[in-house]
Amino acid sequence: ALPRKEQFIVGRLYKGFWLPEPYAPGILAVRRRFTPRPDDVVLTSYPKCGTTWLKALAFAAMARDAYPPVAADHPLRRLNPHACIPFMEDIFTERQEAKLEGLPSPRLINTHTPYSLLPETVTTGGGCKVVYICRDPKDMVVSLYHFLRRLQPDLSFADTFHSVLEGTVPYGPMWDHILGYWHASVARPDRVLFLKYEDLLQNTGEHVRKLAEFMGRPFSAAEEAAGTVASVVELCSFDNMKNLEANKTGATERKYISIAHDAFFRKGVTGDWVNHMSPEMASRLDEIFRDKLRGTVLT
Ligand code: A3P
């Protein structure tokens, strides 16, 4: 058996995707057993593309009646965002579906599962709503490298880079992950919202409005006048979140892995790849993605 942390770096190839070994049974169980409610919102992403931020923004927007974003005791000021929204892989791997059943509607749930491996109950018919966040792959590689190094300190950047190119990283290949959600968002725009980390950074407020509207919780004129959108943006901003005690200390304890909370907050910028990649590496990655994403408007 592999040491448990390294199991995350290798995976099991299933229907074209490298699933993290310990989660593979859970992902298959989701397919068989997850029954969405029509007002569920499933937050999805390729790892290291802004999941934590999306979780915080969606939670803050969805729960704003119960927890005004300016409240001193807001859950996001006390808890890491991952503690506010369950991770589907964990729930089904640990057979804790009752926890999901017990959540009041509308539920927010999170997964990294590729679109084609989601249950048909989610991807067809009324299903539920799905939000995807993607990011410049070059910045994802850098973020992934720093994240995985905490689990495997001898990992090199070059190895991480080559694994991404080969597609053999958890939930890879990244291009097919993106394409699945992209095509779904084109085919079912009322059910699948496709967001980009870079757009969110550029105009967070506009995207919080879009997200809230998509989730069925648009901001009212009174909320607009009261500056509620700006309060959500501020609460979930990188600087605010990174400096909260709940995110500086402690860890998300999963059955197979312990992830220090501060590992989810590194730099929070775009373009950090220039500090890690040679121009040749960047062109190579860009070229592969250009080729794979051909026929879409994604750049
Ligand atoms: P960097 O490593 O480039 O800094 P995920 O949540 O999917 O694991 O993605 C982690 C990336 O999102 C990290 O990128 C992290 O710093 C960034 N991030 C986390 N919270 C953020 C926030 N509130 N605003 C912007 N970026 C955030």
Side-chain angles (χ1 to χ4, degrees):
L2 289 162
R4 73 176 194 140
K5 285 178 179 172
E6 292 187 8
Q7 290 183 357
F8 268 81
I9 297 170
V10 296
R12 184 192 302 186
L13 186 61
Y14 180 73
K15 296 197 177 188
F17 288 96
W18 287 94
L19 305 181
E21 185 63 37
Y23 281 148
I27 291 170
L28 302 187
V30 172
R31 258 167 100 74
R32 286 193 304 272
R33 297 204 297 271
F34 177 63
T35 311
R37 299 178 194 161
D39 57 359
D40 280 346
V41 180
V42 181
L43 306 174
T44 60
S45 57
Y46 191 79
K48 311 321 295 171
C49 290
T51 322
T52 314
W53 193 17
L54 177 63
K55 278 178 144 178
L57 291 169
F59 183 87
M62 187 71 108
R64 65 188 188 272
D65 287 345
Y67 307 112
V70 289
D73 66 341
H74 194 287
L76 287 169
R77 289 188 218 285
R78 294 181 278 113
L79 301 167
N80 177 268
H82 295 283
C84 298
I85 298 179
F87 183 48
M88 194 109 94
E89 281 85 322
D90 265 343
I91 295 274
F92 281 80
T93 302
E94 296 176 28
R95 305 198 67 101
Q96 293 180 339
E97 285 112 289
K99 267 193 192 169
L100 268 193
E101 289 309 317
L103 287 178
S105 293
R107 299 183 298 186
L108 289 171
I109 308 166
N110 159 239
T111 185
H112 290 310
T113 301
Y115 190 79
S116 59
L117 299 186
L118 289 177
E120 277 184 21
T121 48
V122 171
T123 57
T124 57
C128 61
K129 292 192 174 171
V130 174
V131 181
Y132 185 70
I133 185 160
C134 94
R135 185 180 194 187
D136 182 336
K138 300 191 289 302
D139 286 332
M140 186 288 295
V141 178
V142 171
S143 190
L144 182 69
Y145 164 67
H146 287 285
F147 186 79
L148 292 181
R149 277 244 308 184
R150 290 183 169 236
L151 309 176
Q152 191 182 322
D154 60 349
L155 186 72
S156 71
F157 182 74
D159 283 346
T160 313
F161 180 82
H162 287 294
S163 300
V164 171
L165 286 194
E166 285 167 1
T168 54
V169 273
Y171 301 96
M174 185 188 184
W175 45 84
D176 285 335
H177 202 281
I178 296 173
L179 278 172
Y181 282 95
W182 170 255
H183 287 308
S185 75
V186 172
R188 307 172 71 223
D190 56 324
R191 296 275 120 188
V192 184
L193 176 67
F194 191 97
L195 299 173
K196 296 180 194 160
Y197 182 89
E198 294 75 19
D199 293 347
L200 246 73
L201 262 189
Q202 206 169 23
N203 191 339
T204 315
E206 180 193 315
H207 288 87
V208 167
R209 286 189 185 90
K210 205 178 199 178
L211 175 64
E213 193 166 334
F214 179 79
M215 295 193 302
R217 292 278 288 115
F219 289 91
S220 67
E223 286 179 310
E224 287 286 357
T228 310
V229 175
S231 303
V232 167
V233 172
E234 170 54 25
L235 170 64
C236 302
S237 71
F238 182 80
D239 287 343
N240 185 53
M241 298 245 104
K242 185 179 172 75
N243 291 310
L244 291 169
E245 208 48 38
N247 295 326
K248 285 198 289 195
T249 56
T252 292
E253 296 294 346
R254 296 184 170 151
K255 188 170 179 187
Y256 298 100
I257 200 169
S258 168
I259 306 171
H261 287 153
D262 68 343
F264 293 109
F265 304 90
R266 194 184 62 90
K267 277 196 174 175
V269 298
T270 60
D272 191 33
W273 61 267
V274 294
N275 299 313
H276 294 77
M277 245 177 240
S278 66
E280 292 73 27
M281 290 167 106
S283 317
R284 181 135 182 249
L285 198 74
D286 280 344
E287 210 176 291
I288 289 182
F289 274 82
R290 233 188 333 266
D291 185 41
K292 300 286 183 185
L293 303 181
R294 204 183 300 278
T296 72
V297 298
L298 295 170
T299 54

